Amino acid sequence: MLETDNLLPLSGIQHFLFCRRQWALIEIERVWQDNFLTIEGTQLHQKVDDPFFTEVRSGVITARSVPIRSSALGLIGVCDLVEFTPSPNGIYLPGRSVAYTPMIVEYKRGQPKKGAFDEAQLCAQAMCLEEMLSTTIVSSCLYYGEIRRRESISFTQELRSLVQQASLEMHQYFKRQYIPKVKPHQGCSACSINSVCLPKIQGNNRKVSDFITSCLSMGDE
Ligand code: SF4
């Protein structure tokens, strides 16, 4: 069980698994730069996110921008969309007389990627909802804007362990305020903070703020 007064953004788990340095620069050093990929992703979410929207169609309740959190993982975030389908084995929601099974839909730009980044984020959301609703969610969906299709993701024990391990490491990094060294890889070309990652300081593990300070002081000489 992690300290609940130090919840980290759940969305960071995809950054952490993609590149630990990217996650640390965003969450610890507060560095962020939009590129066309992040802007497109934000626009897609804006179409989905409506915190006051709930509708019922054919008995299925759809809720958008559902706040979630987990004390066990130490994460806090928002589900784009949660569908509650009537099911005798489900859970009871306030003011409803039938039981429902929840299923999350997370919206992503592009198409399915190599690596389990999106899957882990979705699984982390499910683990938060499970804790909040005292239920088990066996699968949910990722919707990709480019292929305009839902992909069903099963929450295997392997995926759940990946989420638990990543959450634990994120808290350890955050507690130490640890910024990993640069390790260039294929994903760097699409990285939104490529221009501030400063690969030139690879190997000496300096903080970006220290590097900028030293550059500014050189200008004074
Ligand atoms: S440029 Fe590469 S090493 Fe640097 S933060 Fe981005 S993905 Fe990580």
Side-chain angles (χ1 to χ4, degrees):
M1 182 88 51
L2 294 160
E3 295 167 23
T4 51
D5 58 350
N6 206 7
L7 298 172
L8 292 172
L10 184 150
S11 57
I13 202 164
Q14 57 180 322
H15 302 300
F16 190 80
L17 293 173
F18 172 68
C19 172
R20 280 157 170 71
R21 179 171 167 82
Q22 187 197 62
W23 173 84
L25 289 174
I26 293 169
E27 297 299 339
I28 298 173
E29 293 249 323
R30 301 287 169 200
V31 168
W32 183 253
Q33 274 199 340
D34 270 320
N35 64 10
F36 78 98
L37 298 176
T38 60
I39 290 169
E40 215 174 83
T42 303
Q43 287 172 345
L44 180 64
H45 277 94
Q46 280 168 351
K47 286 182 191 168
V48 182
D49 292 348
D50 179 352
F52 304 108
F53 180 90
T54 303
E55 70 170 2
V56 184
R57 272 194 201 175
S58 306
V60 177
I61 302 171
T62 300
R64 291 185 178 170
S65 302
V66 180
I68 49 170
R69 59 189 287 153
S70 163
S71 302
L73 296 172
L75 299 176
I76 187 165
V78 177
C79 286
D80 288 339
L81 192 149
V82 182
E83 290 178 352
F84 294 91
T85 304
S87 161
N89 301 321
I91 41 119
Y92 285 91
L93 300 172
R96 306 276 174 178
S97 56
V98 295
Y100 292 89
T101 299
M103 188 196 74
I104 302 163
V105 183
E106 170 69 13
Y107 286 73
K108 296 288 178 192
R109 63 162 304 282
Q111 48 185 298
K113 310 172 184 73
K114 285 181 187 167
F117 317 128
D118 296 342
E119 288 85 345
Q121 186 189 358
L122 186 69
C123 185
Q125 291 176 347
M127 289 167 79
C128 287
L129 260 192
E130 287 178 340
E131 188 178 310
M132 292 167 65
L133 301 175
S134 299
T135 188
T136 301
I137 303 173
V138 293
S139 66
S140 283
C141 289
L142 291 165
Y143 176 89
Y144 288 96
E146 207 168 303
I147 60 173
R148 295 173 183 241
R149 199 174 64 222
R150 288 184 179 186
E151 298 280 317
S152 180
I153 307 298
S154 298
F155 300 132
T156 61
Q157 191 49 53
E158 190 183 7
L159 192 54
R160 290 172 182 272
S161 298
L162 178 68
V163 169
Q164 285 166 335
Q165 186 58 33
S167 304
L168 189 63
E169 281 185 46
M170 282 159 60
H171 277 274
Q172 288 169 345
Y173 279 40
F174 195 82
K175 197 170 181 184
R176 291 169 54 207
Q177 294 286 286
Y178 173 59
I179 312 291
K181 294 178 183 176
V182 177
K183 282 188 189 164
H185 54 95
Q186 273 189 334
C188 290
S189 57
C191 175
S192 58
I193 56 170
N194 182 300
S195 61
V196 288
C197 171
L198 302 177
K200 285 183 184 170
I201 62 170
Q202 179 182 4
N204 63 13
N205 203 26
R206 289 166 70 190
K207 283 187 168 185
V208 173
S209 52
D210 294 343
F211 180 78
I212 292 170
T213 304
S214 72
C215 288
L216 291 173
S217 62
M218 279 168 67
D220 294 338
E221 291 169 2

